[in-house]
Amino acid sequence: MAAAPKVVTVDLGTSTIKFGEFGISPGGALTLLRFGVAEIGLDPNKEEERAKFITPTLSKLFKDHDIRAKEVLLSISGQSVFMRFVKLPPVDPGQIEQVVTFEAQQNVPFPINEVTWDYQMMPNRSTGTEAEAVIVAIKKDIVEAEVDAVERIGVKIKRVDVAPFALLNAFRYSEPETEGCSLIIDMGARSTNLIFVEKANFWIRNVPIAGNQISQSICNELQEPFIAAETLKKGKGFVSLGGIYADPDDVEAARISKLIRSTMTRLHVDINRSIAYYRTTLTGTAPKRIYLTGGSSQLPYLDLFFAEKHNLPVSYFNPLRNVNLSNSINTGQLQQNNCYTAELVGLALRETGSCPAEITLDAPTLAARSDKHRKQPYYFAALSAWVFLFVCLALYYWKQVDLANQTTAILHDRTASLQAMAPTIEKLATESKTERRIFDDVVRIGQHRNAWPDVLAALNDKIPEGVWITKLTPSYDPSLDAKNGTARGPGQGGGPGVGAPAGGAALKGLQTPTDEINVLVIDGLYHSNAKTEVVDSAQLREFVKALADLPYFDVDPQKITETLISFTTSQTDPTSFAQKFSMHLKLKQPISLQP
């Protein structure tokens, strides 16, 4: 049989260059034959010299791995690209192109003749008649510089794709059965791509917080040059776990870990904003899981950080899940660099047929080359097409018969093997379920252990000056369980029985907790005396609103009185030095008192 066609893909990241050589089977399956990654070695403050670094780095990569391809598929960083999701008025299908062109002229922040752009129609997110398209544009001089730097090593670029879209194609290929909304966090050097994937829809946002921002913070804190800061980040960096976890003995590593956590916290804020926008404006659903990928995603404990912040399962995206590996592949090296392969897989998939995202950006050089090919004599093209058609038909039927025979033999062998392994698989499945239950119990205990320090720290952080807490009483409110349909009987959640007060007017209707706590009763004082510092009751309301923004408390900022149940003022109690207040602070996640 003839050798399977090969395709070479190249991803130009901000700080790294990656390539992959793939074999494509007649059925469209991919086999990774060779893979390589190399640091560009460019200081981010000298971006104008980028092309001078790309050419020698890529040339050495190809030489070291004996790549002799004449054509490559290229993807460029999403940070350089302008993306906009736009609504289109209801028009005839024949007028879509004209309407999208008008929208591109209105939305792209550059003269339309200075950019190369493409678009893709999106499935309708709502039940209305409006269609939606994603417009992708990049300045011609930027893409031309990238194309020129790559072609200087003696190859021709067949297609220019955009990294987030290539990653999206790889995700659809590797995780075809994933249900609900998935959030892919692709952390690179200069920016992070947030990709929301839900059914046939997707939404992409680029956030300018990533690995370089961490290195820059290390530069500023330790007064080190950027390259040295990069080395420290890779050698000693990890995401500080915060809270009650002890710092490492290495003082420098401890400082770096806190700087990294601070940067990741800022990224977490942007992710929350993006999730809110996706849910409210685009009517999407909340993510059910998070996938990490990209060079900066290799920071130790990054998955634990996002799992803690978002309370979602976090895993590292494996783009090679459905890709075959050649026997010559160094699996150890590939495993260490798996985070760099997603865009390469997505690019190769463009050669196998239809993909969910098909964006192509033509540099002026590529457009001129394509136009030249279109003007070649049609006679020879037609004649060649006829000859090729008959040859292909003959080869097709021959290959189909051969492929069917091979598939039959393979399936027969696999069936016998699987039947022999069935008892072992069933035993392992049972053991896996048992270990999963143990793991879930350990995680739950750890969460409840950390709940109190987090809650107290949050209260301390938000309490205004001039307001102080005199008493904090953990309690159990049976009415909250009743609202959720999980009302408990006597002895299951509270004290002697439902409705038994825990003591005091502020605790009326509450119970003394025995199994869990779902409300905190806070008694306190605040200044409202003109002879000293004046703090009026409005600041108590602001205190409640500030608590509503935290993930720990179930507070409706539109119904302050449900939380701030009582307070005195200088009008109602003019003789007091300070005024009293009481709060019923409901917890979003009850705290268990049982191991």
Side-chain angles (χ1 to χ4, degrees):
M1 294 181 60
K6 297 178 183 179
V7 60
V8 175
T9 61
V10 175
D11 176 44
L12 293 183
T14 302
S15 65
T16 57
I17 298 178
K18 293 79 72 178
F19 89 88
E21 184 181 49
F22 295 86
I24 303 177
S25 72
L30 296 179
T31 299
L32 181 61
L33 306 175
R34 280 177 282 192
F35 165 79
V37 58
E39 295 282 344
I40 296 178
L42 175 66
D43 189 317
N45 297 318
K46 299 179 180 180
E47 188 66 21
E48 67 279 358
E49 300 179 5
R50 176 175 170 81
K52 299 178 183 179
F53 286 79
I54 290 176
T55 303
T57 304
L58 184 58
S59 178
K60 187 175 186 303
L61 260 181
F62 274 29
K63 182 177 180 181
D64 291 344
H65 293 82
D66 194 27
I67 300 297
R68 301 178 183 180
K70 295 181 179 180
E71 286 187 332
V72 300
L73 305 180
L74 179 68
S75 74
I76 56 180
S77 171
Q79 178 191 336
S80 306
V81 177
F82 171 83
M83 280 183 286
R84 179 64 57 86
F85 291 77
V86 296
K87 296 286 187 181
L88 305 179
V91 294
D92 293 333
Q95 296 179 311
I96 289 290
E97 183 90 22
Q98 182 180 354
V99 173
V100 174
T101 300
F102 173 80
E103 290 291 341
Q105 292 171 339
Q106 301 301 311
N107 286 279
V108 175
F110 308 106
I112 202 67
N113 61 340
E114 294 182 7
V115 302
T116 177
W117 66 280
D118 196 7
Y119 75 96
Q120 179 166 327
M121 298 303 297
M122 301 282 293
N124 200 346
R125 299 182 191 273
S126 63
T127 57
T129 58
E130 289 183 324
E132 186 176 5
V134 54
I135 296 173
V136 182
I138 185 172
K139 294 196 72 174
K140 289 180 179 178
D141 57 346
I142 296 177
V143 68
E144 184 70 17
E146 301 276 87
V147 167
D148 180 67
V150 173
E151 291 196 337
R152 282 180 180 272
I153 72 170
V155 298
K156 298 297 182 183
I157 293 178
K158 184 176 181 180
R159 182 185 295 113
V160 178
D161 206 334
V162 183
F165 290 89
L167 172 56
L168 174 63
N169 288 332
F171 179 79
R172 293 283 199 191
Y173 181 73
S174 300
E175 302 287 343
E177 298 178 358
T178 301
E179 296 182 355
C181 180
S182 300
L183 171 58
I184 307 172
I185 301 178
D186 177 21
M187 287 186 59
R190 293 183 61 184
S191 64
T192 297
N193 292 311
L194 306 178
I195 306 176
F196 294 80
V197 186
E198 184 174 3
K199 296 181 180 178
N201 282 309
F202 63 89
W203 181 64
I204 301 172
R205 183 184 176 220
N206 185 269
V207 178
I209 302 175
N212 283 358
Q213 285 69 30
I214 295 174
S215 299
Q216 192 60 53
S217 66
I218 296 173
C219 283
N220 299 337
E221 178 73 15
L222 304 182
Q223 298 298 307
E224 295 281 359
F226 186 86
I227 300 299
E230 274 282 304
T231 303
L232 286 172
K233 179 183 72 176
K234 295 176 181 178
K236 297 185 177 183
F238 65 92
V239 183
S240 172
L241 297 176
I244 62 173
Y245 293 95
D247 289 336
D249 295 334
D250 188 329
V251 176
E252 195 171 56
R255 292 176 66 186
I256 292 173
S257 70
K258 289 181 172 60
L259 292 172
I260 294 176
R261 184 178 180 88
S262 176
T263 303
M264 291 301 96
T265 300
R266 290 193 289 116
L267 176 59
H268 162 67
V269 171
D270 270 313
I271 293 174
N272 277 345
R273 290 173 182 162
S274 300
I275 292 174
Y277 179 85
Y278 178 73
R279 296 187 62 188
T280 57
T281 305
L282 301 180
T283 65
T285 60
K288 291 186 176 181
R289 65 197 66 83
I290 293 175
Y291 292 93
L292 297 179
T293 188
S296 295
S297 68
Q298 299 180 95
L299 284 169
Y301 305 134
L302 183 63
D303 54 339
L304 298 181
F305 173 83
F306 283 120
E308 171 197 347
K309 290 294 184 181
H310 294 279
N311 196 25
L312 291 173
V314 178
S315 60
Y316 287 90
F317 173 46
N318 179 17
L320 301 176
R321 179 181 177 186
N322 292 328
V323 176
N324 300 316
L325 300 181
S326 168
N327 293 332
S328 61
I329 287 287
N330 185 333
T331 55
Q333 179 199 22
L334 185 62
Q335 185 174 8
Q336 292 178 357
N337 297 284
N338 192 43
C339 60
Y340 293 118
T341 60
E343 290 80 2
L344 302 176
V345 173
L347 284 171
L349 289 170
R350 292 290 298 274
E351 296 295 291
T352 65
S354 178
C355 289
E358 297 186 337
I359 294 293
T360 300
L361 300 176
D362 285 333
T365 301
L366 302 181
R369 187 185 303 156
S370 177
D371 185 61
K372 180 180 179 181
H373 290 166
R374 283 194 298 267
K375 293 180 180 179
Q376 291 179 346
Y378 292 102
Y379 173 77
F380 295 103
L383 181 60
S384 300
W386 277 105
V387 174
F388 183 70
L389 175 61
F390 286 108
V391 173
C392 284
L393 286 174
L395 290 174
Y396 173 80
Y397 287 113
W398 178 74
K399 288 184 177 179
Q400 287 299 314
V401 172
D402 184 72
L403 182 62
N405 292 334
Q406 291 183 27
T407 303
T408 300
I410 292 172
L411 291 177
H412 181 271
D413 293 339
R414 289 183 178 177
T415 300
S417 175
L418 290 175
Q419 288 175 343
M421 295 173 61
T424 303
I425 294 174
E426 292 177 358
K427 179 181 179 182
L428 291 175
T430 303
E431 294 176 354
S432 176
K433 290 180 181 179
T434 302
E435 292 176 355
R436 183 65 188 179
R437 286 195 297 267
I438 296 173
F439 174 81
D440 290 341
D441 290 340
V442 172
V443 171
R444 177 178 55 80
I445 293 171
Q447 289 174 338
H448 287 301
R449 180 192 63 182
N450 295 337
W452 277 114
D454 291 343
V455 167
L456 296 177
L459 288 171
N460 185 64
D461 182 56
K462 296 297 183 181
I463 192 166
E465 189 174 354
V467 178
W468 63 96
I469 296 174
T470 60
K471 185 178 181 181
L472 190 149
T473 307
S475 299
Y476 171 75
D477 187 352
S479 66
L480 298 182
D481 279 346
K483 291 179 181 178
N484 297 328
T486 57
R488 303 167 185 261
Q492 288 183 297
V498 175
L507 304 180
K508 185 176 181 181
L510 304 179
Q511 301 177 5
T512 301
T514 59
D515 290 341
E516 67 177 29
I517 296 162
N518 61 4
V519 64
L520 300 179
V521 178
I522 296 176
D523 295 314
L525 301 173
Y526 70 98
H527 281 293
S528 184
N529 190 309
K531 295 180 180 180
T532 59
E533 182 181 3
V534 177
V535 178
D536 59 25
S537 58
Q539 289 180 256
L540 291 178
R541 294 183 173 91
E542 291 302 318
F543 179 32
V544 175
K545 290 180 178 179
L547 295 177
D549 294 334
L550 298 175
Y552 311 108
F553 309 117
D554 184 12
V555 177
D556 186 349
Q558 305 300 323
K559 299 178 181 179
I560 299 297
T561 54
E562 289 184 359
T563 300
L564 185 62
I565 60 172
S566 68
F567 61 88
T568 62
T569 65
S570 55
Q571 286 75 31
T572 61
D573 190 6
T575 62
S576 294
F577 173 74
Q579 301 300 325
K580 301 177 180 179
F581 71 90
S582 293
M583 291 183 182
H584 281 187
L585 198 54
K586 304 171 187 175
L587 298 176
K588 283 186 176 179
Q589 188 67 37
I591 299 174
S592 176
L593 299 179
Q594 300 295 330

